[in-house]
Amino acid sequence: MGLEVERGPVFSMLGGAELATGTDGDRVVDLFLRGGELAGILAGALRRGAWLDAYLSAAGLQQLVDDRAPASQAFLRRTARHLLKGSRPLVHAGGQALSRVDGVLTAASARTTGGSHLVALSEHLAVLLDELAPLVLGGAPSGAGLSQAAVSTRLAVLAADVEAVAPVLGGDVIRLPSCFHSFDQHPADMAALVRRFVERWPDRSIPVAVAGIRTSGGYLAPLCAAALRELGFEHAESLSLRPGSAMSGAVVERLRGVVGRGGLVLLVDDPPITGRSYREAIDQLARVSGVARSSVVVLLASFSEDEEPPAGLAGLASVVLPYSEWDIVRRLGMPSATDSLSGLLPPGARLSRVEAIAPALPPRRGHARALLAMDWQDGSGWHRRELVAEGTGLGFFGRQAVEVARRAPTLFPEILGLADGVLFRELLPEELSWAARPVVLADAEPVARHLADRHAALRRPDDPTVSFAGRQAAREVAAREIARTLGPLAEPLGPFLAGAAVRRILDTSVPTLIDGDVARENWFFAPGQPPRKASFAEGPFGHHDLASYDPVFDLAGTAVAARDLAFEDALRERYAGLTGLVAEPARWMLLELVHLWNERRLGRIDDATYRRGRSLGAVKLFASLYLGDLDPPTGPYCAFDLDGVLEGSAPGYPAMSEASALALRAVRAHGFRVLLASGRASGELQQRCALLGLDGAVSEYGAVAYDAVVGVSFGLLSEGARRASERLRKLALDSTELTVDHAYTEV
């Protein structure tokens, strides 16, 4: 497709002033768009002939329309999806039953006035997507492809449709397609997949329906159908479905018509991990439309070079596009990168050479990147700069990164610009990474100031995630983590029973576009300069979900990444001083739980660290609520065990409770000095002494003593016992069947 170029907001690397954008597109900083906002982007893009923006906004608007359901039915639909994900047979069967009820209600709602308007808008958008898809695939230049009369007609029809459905859509917010936002997929990849399909099924006379699994499939399917038509297929159409949601009668009839004439159904979605969404879609096609597995072909792109589908899709006809054939590999290559950088230089500058300084490796599951060196000449002489070229999304999905940088340029790397979904930015030296050195207390001030400045620059008028359900937003994950205390009821009922309380606690009065990815390796500290973030734009929009507009989310995530209580206290105190925003204890604990869950999910921490983090969060909560106002005791000593005494295991991990906190308060209020005696690691007990105001501890099954008054710990093992412990540890480390907990220092 044609090269879409947008120059960045900072050009000190080129010695120039800020330049105007290279496109006349909408400046979108918040991607959680509502129907009216999408309609506005669509109208503007059609007038400009910006076909990619028009296509993306039309597909997003259609997804909103197709997913729309009355509030009561939406709750039913969310419940069905939640139960369908359950592992217990009865829970899963309940989800299937509710899904069938949803289908009946969907058919009935389509006959209402509001439902008929939604159906009409969906049909008009489908026709528009069919018209735009060939232009997007072919990279038609701006203004080519649709006549002005056709554009005017489309705008008039869409304006009337959108006005009619606006009250029905309300505040519904789009789901972002990971394919074109987080995974660097490209319309050219769909054309490549279709060419591979045609090599195996060359008969152009068979009818084909491309079924896109929403959300990403709704963007991909019309492109695949257009590619099939361009290759001569006489009957190629597209549609979308969401597993667990009802299929309309019209979609069912179209599918039955295709397979009834001996045709095929092609399923397309994001690159799969297990293939679960594909399997659920195939089951739904068979159950609702009578589409046999033999009539289904799975189209998928892969993050590896394996041309076989995941094990979960074994036995199905499939077409796989290996990562080396994705278009992003071409766009990060030297010829394409050189062309892009030439278009990003300011007037009068001349590019001399671009070279790769590190190979572009396939991403695990996310954006690709390459490290480049660029030589150029301008009126002041020759210059050289090392750059990062990384995928950031197509169209206005990608331009959002440039717009975020425009709002707060001093907080991030210098941005050269964006070309065809590739962002070119300054390379920050690895030796300046925060992960390259220990956390120190002095880090709290610059980190707090960075977050405060970012949150102020990217303040939003409201928090769209309040209405999110079934989208793994931060609120939902927090509710699910709290719901673990319900035991067997956690799976079917947990999110609903805990959700209301969690929503109240996490409601924010100062919504902002969060950073979202505050891992230490993304922070860079240069001497004498404020810290900058290499990852700064995806915020709540990434494929890992966890959407939130709460500034405390970033604060808690930074504390979890630092794993230092003194730093955490200083960070919270400094941020409160800069912003006036105090992180309440319950809010802090919930957001820490979310970050711990995410750290474990991403493999950054192990299960033991995850459990310790959860346990420590409860200690911090109850210490702040019940123990912070007590004076240091001066009376006699008493000792408590930790497990089963101060911390129970009702939540599934050791945790303090309100009852144990009140009991400890009573003991301390009566002047007793408390010592802990436990088999747990020494570091854990030192943390509890600091948080609970205790005088010391004996830990690691009697191997380590800690005097909290003077802050000194010392071993209690004899020399012989220490040597025996070291031999045992070495044997365990050499074993493939044993796991060593490195938190223990002596045993």
Side-chain angles (χ1 to χ4, degrees):
M1 58 186 296
L3 185 66
E4 179 195 40
V5 172
E6 172 145 338
R7 295 188 176 93
V10 181
F11 286 88
S12 63
M13 71 169 73
L14 302 178
E18 180 175 342
L19 300 179
T21 59
T23 62
D24 190 27
D26 292 83
R27 289 184 170 181
V28 178
V29 69
D30 192 338
L31 292 178
F32 283 139
L33 299 161
R34 297 177 171 88
E37 295 165 324
L38 280 169
I41 294 174
L42 174 56
L46 286 175
R47 292 190 186 98
R48 299 193 311 273
W51 308 127
L52 178 59
D53 275 0
Y55 183 87
L56 296 175
S57 52
L61 191 55
Q62 187 177 51
Q63 174 250 306
L64 275 184
V65 170
D66 290 348
D67 277 348
R68 180 59 187 162
S72 57
Q73 189 180 341
F75 178 78
L76 173 72
R77 187 172 292 178
R78 291 196 303 269
T79 305
R81 289 179 193 153
H82 173 67
L83 297 181
L84 285 169
K85 294 177 182 178
S87 57
R88 294 178 172 82
L90 285 177
V91 171
H92 192 80
Q96 288 183 323
L98 291 181
S99 183
R100 292 189 183 97
V101 174
D102 177 35
V104 174
L105 294 176
T106 296
S109 66
R111 294 189 290 270
T112 66
T113 301
S116 63
H117 286 313
L118 289 171
V119 170
L121 178 55
S122 180
E123 291 174 349
H124 289 149
L125 288 168
V127 172
L128 177 59
L129 287 170
D130 281 343
E131 294 173 343
L132 291 170
L135 302 177
V136 173
L137 283 172
S142 179
L146 288 178
S147 68
Q148 190 59 47
V151 168
S152 299
T153 301
R154 281 271 163 249
L155 287 174
V157 171
L158 287 169
D161 284 344
V162 170
E163 184 178 1
V165 303
V168 182
L169 288 178
D172 291 2
V173 178
I174 65 164
R175 298 170 183 257
L176 293 172
S178 294
C179 60
F180 292 151
H181 178 250
S182 298
F183 291 163
D184 299 329
Q185 287 190 270
H186 195 277
D189 299 333
M190 298 304 102
L193 263 175
V194 166
R195 287 193 296 271
R196 283 178 161 249
F197 166 79
V198 174
E199 289 172 1
R200 294 174 56 185
W201 286 272
D203 185 357
R204 268 71 165 175
S205 66
I206 62 171
V208 177
V210 186
I213 301 173
R214 291 199 297 272
T215 294
S216 285
Y219 290 74
L220 301 175
L223 295 170
C224 291
L228 285 166
R229 291 192 294 269
E230 287 186 358
L231 291 176
F233 276 74
E234 301 170 11
H235 306 286
E237 58 182 301
S238 66
L239 52 93
S240 71
L241 57 90
R242 187 179 296 284
S245 293
M247 294 167 58
S248 70
V251 168
V252 171
E253 288 305 313
R254 288 168 63 191
L255 288 167
R256 288 174 177 169
V258 168
V259 297
R261 290 179 284 137
L264 294 173
V265 176
L266 311 188
L267 271 181
V268 64
D269 192 13
D270 283 325
I273 299 176
T274 64
R276 178 173 180 169
S277 65
Y278 281 96
R279 293 196 305 272
E280 291 176 347
I282 291 169
D283 291 343
Q284 186 171 18
L285 288 172
R287 186 176 64 251
V288 179
S289 302
V291 177
R293 289 168 62 94
S294 59
S295 298
V296 176
V297 179
V298 173
L299 303 181
L300 56 92
S302 173
F303 275 106
S304 73
E305 292 306 297
D306 189 355
E307 296 194 25
E308 295 297 320
L313 299 177
L316 289 167
S318 62
V319 177
V320 180
L321 185 72
Y323 185 77
S324 59
E325 296 188 25
W326 287 30
D327 191 72
I328 186 64
V329 176
R330 177 192 64 81
R331 283 178 282 148
L332 291 178
M334 284 306 97
S336 180
T338 301
D339 289 344
S340 298
L341 288 169
S342 295
L344 292 170
L345 290 174
R350 182 173 63 85
L351 186 64
S352 171
R353 185 177 61 166
V354 178
E355 61 180 331
I357 58 177
L361 300 176
R364 182 176 177 184
R365 189 170 176 83
H367 286 304
R369 68 194 304 240
L371 305 185
L372 312 174
M374 177 180 74
D375 297 320
W376 80 95
Q377 184 183 28
D378 61 15
S380 62
W382 287 94
H383 310 276
R384 182 177 178 85
R385 198 59 176 266
E386 293 184 345
L387 304 172
V388 176
E390 57 189 353
T392 193
L394 296 181
F396 61 86
F397 292 146
R399 291 201 303 276
Q400 182 259 356
V402 178
E403 187 59 28
V404 169
R406 193 188 311 280
R407 302 292 179 95
T410 61
L411 303 181
F412 314 125
E414 295 176 347
I415 307 299
L416 179 57
L418 176 73
D420 206 10
V422 175
L423 185 75
F424 294 89
R425 66 167 175 84
E426 169 193 13
L427 173 63
L428 299 174
E430 286 299 318
E431 61 269 21
L432 299 181
S433 168
W434 197 14
R437 63 170 177 79
V439 174
V440 296
L441 200 59
D443 294 335
E445 160 67 28
V447 169
R449 187 171 295 278
H450 174 104
L451 292 175
D453 289 347
R454 177 195 170 99
H455 296 156
L458 295 167
R459 189 69 52 82
R460 309 307 299 146
D462 63 351
D463 179 358
T465 68
V466 172
S467 62
F468 283 14
R471 299 170 67 165
Q472 202 156 260
R475 284 185 176 87
E476 291 180 290
V477 173
R480 192 169 66 225
E481 290 292 278
I482 291 296
R484 289 185 177 208
T485 59
L486 297 173
L489 294 176
E491 189 171 78
L493 299 178
F496 306 111
L497 295 179
V502 168
R503 281 194 296 272
R504 285 196 301 271
I505 294 171
L506 295 185
D507 182 50
T508 178
S509 59
V510 285
T512 189
L513 201 63
I514 63 166
D515 183 302
D517 187 4
V518 286
R520 283 175 57 200
E521 59 264 26
N522 292 325
W523 291 86
F524 290 80
F525 288 74
Q529 298 179 21
R532 290 187 287 171
K533 281 293 309 305
S535 170
F536 61 88
E538 279 207 324
F541 312 125
H543 67 285
H544 290 307
D545 302 320
L546 300 187
S548 172
Y549 278 57
D550 185 351
V552 180
F553 185 88
D554 286 338
L555 209 62
T558 307
V560 167
R563 299 187 180 91
D564 184 290
L565 287 178
F567 170 83
E568 177 181 324
D569 289 342
L571 179 69
R572 294 175 68 175
E573 180 179 353
R574 189 63 191 121
Y575 187 85
L578 291 168
T579 66
L581 182 62
V582 177
E584 306 90 342
R587 178 191 297 272
W588 188 263
M589 184 196 73
L590 288 175
L591 293 177
E592 275 197 324
L593 286 180
V594 173
H595 283 287
L596 286 166
W597 174 86
N598 189 51
E599 292 273 280
R600 184 180 65 163
R601 172 178 62 154
L602 299 178
R604 293 172 179 168
I605 60 175
D606 57 21
D607 287 346
T609 304
Y610 167 71
R611 289 193 297 272
R612 288 193 184 105
R614 289 180 62 106
S615 181
L616 183 62
V619 172
K620 288 189 285 189
L621 172 67
F622 289 116
S624 63
L625 292 176
Y626 297 118
L627 302 172
D629 61 333
L630 295 176
D631 294 326
T634 57
Y637 289 97
C638 64
F640 289 113
D641 194 356
L642 204 56
D643 293 295
V645 180
L646 285 180
E647 296 185 15
S649 58
Y653 59 91
M656 199 171 195
S657 67
E658 184 178 38
S660 62
L662 288 171
L664 183 59
R665 177 182 176 84
V667 171
R668 284 195 52 204
H670 282 80
F672 287 91
R673 291 184 283 185
V674 178
L675 304 175
L676 294 177
S678 173
R680 291 211 218 156
S682 176
E684 281 193 83
L685 268 65
Q686 290 182 31
Q687 290 175 332
R688 278 151 181 76
C689 288
L691 291 166
L692 301 174
L694 310 185
D695 282 53
V698 177
S699 59
E700 302 191 13
Y701 303 98
V704 182
Y706 174 64
D707 185 339
V709 176
V710 296
V712 174
S713 63
F714 46 92
L716 299 177
L717 294 179
S718 67
E719 188 60 30
R722 183 189 298 277
R723 287 197 298 269
S725 176
E726 289 174 353
R727 289 197 298 271
L728 182 60
R729 179 184 290 266
K730 185 177 185 305
L731 288 172
L733 286 170
D734 293 338
S735 170
T736 58
E737 299 178 358
L738 299 176
T739 300
V740 175
D741 189 338
H742 295 284
Y744 285 76
T745 58
E746 295 293 320
V747 298

